[in-house]
Structure formats: structure tokens, C-alpha cells
Amino acid sequence: MKPFMDENFLLGTEVAQTLYHNYAEKLPIIDYHCHINPKEIAENKRYANITELWLGGDHYKWRAIRSFGIPEEMITGPASDYDKFRMYAKVMPHLIGNPLYHWTHLELKRYFDCDLILNEENCEEIWKLTAEKLQSDDMRTRAIIEKSGVELICTTDDPADTLEWHKVIAADETIKTKVLPAFRPDKCFNINKKGLAAYYEKLGAATGVEIKDTKSLKEALHKSILFFDSMGCRTADHGFDEYPYFTKSSEYAADKAMDAALRSDGADVTPEQLAVFKSEIMRFLASEYNKVGWVMQLHLGVSRNANGRMFAKMGPDTGWDMIGEMSISEIAKLLDAMESDNALPRTLIYSLNPGDNAAIGTMLGCFQTSGDGMPRIMQGSAWWFNDTLDGMKAQMRQLANLSVFGRFTGMLTDSRSFTSYPRHEYFRRILCSVIGEWVEDGLYPCDMDSLAEIVCDVCYNNTKNFFRFYEKK
């Protein structure tokens, strides 16, 4: 029987152990997609307790505690921070097979030097131990980032944002990690939802453009992109929650859809109008991204807010989303339209539905026309409900079967927590495990130079080069 989470955790072969300990373990982290708040970096936040650090806004953990049958008031309600942590500790022993079990104990080890196995009986001891550690300057946000080996972070930012905290960070020479904005224009597309006029007014105020039609919206987005680019932005991220198909579009047709949306606050927008509008704006944005050399990230296959009652009560990003369906062939049509415009940027494709992995793997090969030493498009890491042990292995194997695994861009945290960086360790261990198994099974020679190159590329080099993070413009 193997010991729990020792130095060779998940590393079942000698090759895997060598690749991880000699190469992957100490590589810097480039976290190119996350949801942490740049304000907390600028202000170097100190956390009051482990609940504030771990459970505030973490819908992964909230879903797990709910699934054990704990009442909501003990999760996101008025219960004390200690009682909320106690509920998480109570659930922990039952999370066998869940990545939360591994992530939680990796974080206890890496940040609190704690080898205890969290449960309800020792939660008070761990509460006190972590509370004491959190009072140290070594556990403020900047120190956490630095001790995690994080070289660069991309936050998630709306086109209407002023990026004031990014300006503060950029001006502070004591912050060693590069912190860049990432462009997330989802609200621009939501013409079928309430609040569009108010959002366009905010975007217009930020860019100095009165937004009244598709042309002026494009002008505002163009100005926002130039501003983000001046702040070091190198990527745009899109969540395609309601984009059922791609269709031919024009500014005229998009204007009609936008007009219907503004007159009815989204109520009278048809699915056809939504598709026309989104198709038109996506083609425009792809062209803009291509001009400034950004990577376009597309997140697909989310079915949002399945529990309407709880969504109405608690709002978005509180744990009521699920895996949905989206036609990859329709995404291919979108990419083809961008390609026909000679404006397809470097692109990463993620799907929340693991059933899409094979289709994405075959789609990648249809658009590899860059000829510049990097792929034009690549599949992103196993995302959200898929960043499990089995989910990551399955995604890696499928990608390797159908594309060039050595150009894979590796892991991201997609997290709101500053102690989520051990997810990169988890990924790297799994990566080395999968590669080690291929070598052990005689599917690849035990050429350590080639294997080390693949591991270093997937963990670090490919991300750096694909996003052009350090290229001067």
C-alpha cells in the first residue's frame, strides 16, 4: 500500500518520478486564466481566517458541502466562519475520489506545513494553526504568490473596467509577479438579458463612445482593446453559454437585433437575432485580437443556473451551473468565418463537456495554418468539472491521440483563491504520470532528453510562447 500523498504522490513509475522531481516540480507557474481580484494583490490582503481564504466565493467547495446535505445557512448564510469551516471539515472524509480532497491537503501541506488529515474532530486544531499562520506576513497575498513560484498572472476583466488596480500593481516595484489584465467581453453579447442599456452606458463612459448601434459598439470595443493592450493584455476570454449556432451576419442585421434588445431590455430578442449579433461581434473581435497579437480563449458547454430558484436568490457563480451541450461543428463554422476573413487569432478551445474532447481534437487539425512554430489553435486544459484525476488523464490522452501533445499549453487555476496554485502541482504530477505510463508500456522510448523537453514545454514554455507574454511589441 502506498502512503497518502508522499513525495511520489501520483507518480507510479520511475520515469514519472524523474520527470516530476527533476524537471516539472520547480518550473515557474504562468496562470493565464483565473478570477482572483487584482485589488487584493495591490493592497497585499491579509486573511482573517481559513474560511475567508478558502470558502469565500469558492463554489467548488460550496457544491460539495451542499451535496452532503448541509443547510445553506451553514455554507453561505449567517453561520460563523468557524462553523462554516467545521462543515467543510465534516464533509472532507467523505470526498474520496474528489479532487477537492487532494487540493485541500496539498494546500494544508504547502502553505501551512500541516500534515493532518482534515476532519471534524481536528478542525479546531487546524483552525487555530491556520489562524496563527495567516497573521504572518508570509501569508499575505503577494507572499503566497511568490512562494508558489508564480511568474505571471492574468486576471479576468470587463472591457468597461478602468484597470485601476492593474495600474497600481504595475507602478509598485516591490511586486515581483507580473499581473496582467485579460479581456472578458461576455456582457457585450448578452442582448437577450436585462441590463444591456446600462452596461453599454458604462462601456461608453469608459471609452468615450456613445453606443447606439453595432458600429459604435465596435468602436468602443476597439478603444477598450487598445487600452487593455497598452496595459500588457495578451489574451481575451469568451464564455459561450448561449451561442447555439454560427450564422452569416452583417452590421444591418446585428443592428436590428441590438435595437430589439434595447427597446425590450432583452425580452424580444429571438434565438436567430442572438446568433446574428454574436456572430457579427465575434468576427469583429477576432480581427481585432489578431491585429494586436492576442490569444482568443473560448469556453464552451456550460449550462448556467440550472436551479432557477437558487439563482434568483443568490445570483451567478454560486454553484448552480452544470455541463451542457454545444455543437463543435458550429464552433468550427465560426473559426472558418474568421479564417475566411484572414483574421483567426491564436485560439484555445475548452469544453466543459468531456464528450467534446475527440471532436475538438479533430477540429484542431483543420486550422493549423500558422507556420510560425506554434499551433494556430490548441485545446485548453481539462476545465472546471473536468480538472479531476480521471478527467485530466482522459483529456491528455485524447489530445495526444489526435493532435501534437508536445505543443499543449498546460494548466490554469480558473480560481478565485490565492492558495489554488497546488492545482498546477496536481496537473504536473498527473502529466508526468501519464507520460511515465506511456514509456513503461513501451509506447515511447525512454529518451529522457526528449521527455524532459515535452514536460518543460507543456508545463511552462508553450504557454510563454503561445501567448507571447515576453515578446516586445
Side-chain angles (χ1 to χ4, degrees):
M1 182 176 64
K2 296 179 180 178
F4 174 65
M5 205 173 280
D6 67 353
E7 65 176 6
N8 290 322
F9 174 56
L10 298 176
L11 306 173
T13 65
E14 282 190 26
V15 170
Q17 292 166 17
T18 299
L19 289 174
Y20 179 74
H21 293 303
N22 290 6
Y23 301 100
E25 185 175 13
K26 300 302 182 183
L27 285 170
I29 289 171
I30 295 178
D31 196 22
Y32 55 90
H33 175 67
C34 71
H35 297 277
I36 60 174
N37 188 343
K39 178 182 178 182
E40 295 182 7
I41 300 175
E43 296 181 339
N44 202 17
K45 181 173 179 176
R46 187 193 302 277
Y47 294 89
N49 55 54
I50 192 67
T51 296
E52 184 181 2
L53 178 65
W54 270 8
L55 299 175
D58 192 333
H59 50 76
Y60 282 83
K61 295 186 179 76
W62 293 348
R63 287 169 67 102
I65 303 170
R66 288 173 188 143
S67 297
F68 192 73
I70 303 296
E72 194 64 35
E73 57 264 28
M74 300 297 290
I75 305 168
T76 62
S80 69
D81 282 354
Y82 175 74
D83 283 338
K84 289 176 180 178
F85 177 69
R86 183 168 58 85
M87 292 302 99
Y88 186 54
K90 181 176 183 177
V91 174
M92 185 54 52
H94 303 271
L95 289 177
I96 185 170
N98 192 306
L100 280 172
Y101 196 85
H102 297 147
W103 295 346
T104 295
H105 289 99
L106 281 173
E107 290 180 33
L108 284 173
K109 282 175 174 283
R110 301 296 177 252
Y111 297 112
F112 299 100
D113 300 317
C114 176
D115 289 319
L116 295 173
I117 305 302
L118 179 61
N119 55 53
E120 192 173 15
E121 287 67 39
N122 66 19
C123 74
E124 184 173 1
E125 180 182 358
I126 293 175
W127 172 268
K128 291 178 179 178
L129 180 154
T130 55
E132 182 179 349
K133 288 271 189 181
L134 285 170
Q135 296 314 301
S136 166
D137 286 344
D138 287 343
M139 285 301 291
R140 298 178 78 157
T141 53
R142 298 182 194 177
I144 291 172
I145 292 168
E146 289 175 17
K147 74 166 62 176
S148 302
V150 182
E151 182 177 282
L152 187 149
I153 295 169
C154 293
T155 60
T156 300
D157 309 275
D158 189 271
D161 288 349
T162 61
L163 304 183
E164 59 182 298
W165 295 110
H166 282 276
K167 294 175 184 176
V168 172
I169 292 168
D172 190 337
E173 295 181 355
T174 67
I175 299 177
K176 299 176 182 178
T177 301
K178 185 181 285 290
V179 182
L180 304 178
F183 193 75
R184 182 72 179 240
D186 290 5
K187 291 181 182 178
C188 299
F189 292 89
N190 294 336
I191 63 170
N192 60 329
K193 297 180 181 179
K194 293 181 178 181
L196 183 70
Y199 175 74
Y200 282 170
E201 185 176 345
K202 180 181 178 182
L203 177 60
T207 57
V209 177
E210 182 184 0
I211 300 173
K212 53 188 177 182
D213 53 20
T214 306
K215 183 178 180 180
S216 54
L217 174 60
K218 290 178 179 179
E219 182 184 358
L221 289 169
H222 170 73
K223 289 189 173 184
S224 182
I225 287 168
L226 292 182
F227 169 55
F228 271 62
D229 192 63
S230 74
M231 293 295 295
C233 181
R234 294 294 178 269
T235 182
D237 182 58
H238 294 260
F240 283 178
D241 304 338
E242 299 175 34
Y243 192 10
Y245 55 86
F246 172 75
T247 188
K248 291 183 179 179
S249 62
S250 66
E251 274 198 1
Y252 173 76
D255 279 341
K256 290 187 69 174
M258 186 172 169
D259 182 63
L262 292 172
R263 282 189 289 102
S264 66
D265 202 18
D268 293 341
V269 177
T270 67
E272 292 76 17
Q273 287 175 318
L274 182 64
V276 165
F277 182 81
K278 289 191 172 185
S279 297
E280 178 67 17
I281 301 302
M282 275 306 306
R283 289 180 72 165
F284 166 76
L285 286 174
S287 177
E288 293 290 301
Y289 302 155
N290 197 46
K291 289 174 186 174
V292 293
W294 289 4
V295 170
M296 179 174 68
Q297 300 184 65
L298 305 181
H299 287 82
L300 318 173
V302 184
S303 181
R304 295 282 183 185
N305 311 312
N307 188 328
R309 182 180 70 85
M310 293 306 292
F311 167 66
K313 180 179 179 181
M314 300 183 65
D317 302 320
T318 51
W320 313 106
D321 303 329
M322 58 177 279
I323 293 173
E325 296 182 358
M326 183 167 288
S327 170
I328 300 303
S329 63
E330 293 297 328
I331 299 301
K333 291 178 184 178
L334 173 65
L335 299 180
D336 184 49
M338 296 171 180
E339 177 76 4
S340 70
D341 295 336
N342 198 26
L344 177 63
R346 287 185 182 177
T347 300
L348 282 179
I349 306 282
Y350 311 80
S351 179
L352 198 58
N353 193 328
D356 291 339
N357 283 342
I360 291 172
T362 58
M363 181 176 67
L364 300 180
C366 299
F367 297 95
Q368 304 298 11
T369 57
S370 68
D372 62 3
M374 292 301 293
R376 176 66 64 85
I377 70 171
M378 177 50 68
Q379 185 177 17
S381 60
W383 171 48
W384 197 348
F385 297 127
N386 300 310
D387 56 4
T388 63
L389 176 60
D390 293 336
M392 284 195 274
K393 283 186 173 182
Q395 187 264 350
M396 289 179 192
R397 287 172 176 148
Q398 193 72 270
L399 178 62
N401 288 170
L402 298 170
S403 190
V404 180
F405 188 70
R407 280 291 182 255
F408 183 31
T409 52
M411 187 57 172
L412 44 80
T413 62
D414 191 32
S415 175
R416 291 166 173 79
S417 171
F418 284 90
T419 54
S420 290
Y421 298 113
R423 295 183 191 182
H424 284 262
E425 176 184 342
Y426 196 58
F427 169 88
R428 291 174 179 185
R429 287 176 178 273
I430 293 169
L431 170 70
C432 294
S433 173
V434 169
I435 291 175
E437 288 170 12
W438 286 333
V439 175
E440 187 76 17
D441 292 342
L443 300 176
Y444 193 92
C446 191
D447 177 347
M448 293 308 296
D449 289 339
S450 295
L451 294 170
E453 181 179 1
I454 291 170
V455 166
C456 292
D457 284 348
V458 172
C459 292
Y460 176 74
N461 293 323
N462 289 341
T463 297
K464 179 182 67 174
N465 296 329
F466 190 75
F467 285 85
R468 303 182 178 97
F469 281 127
Y470 299 104
E471 290 183 17
K472 292 184 178 179
K473 290 199 172 186

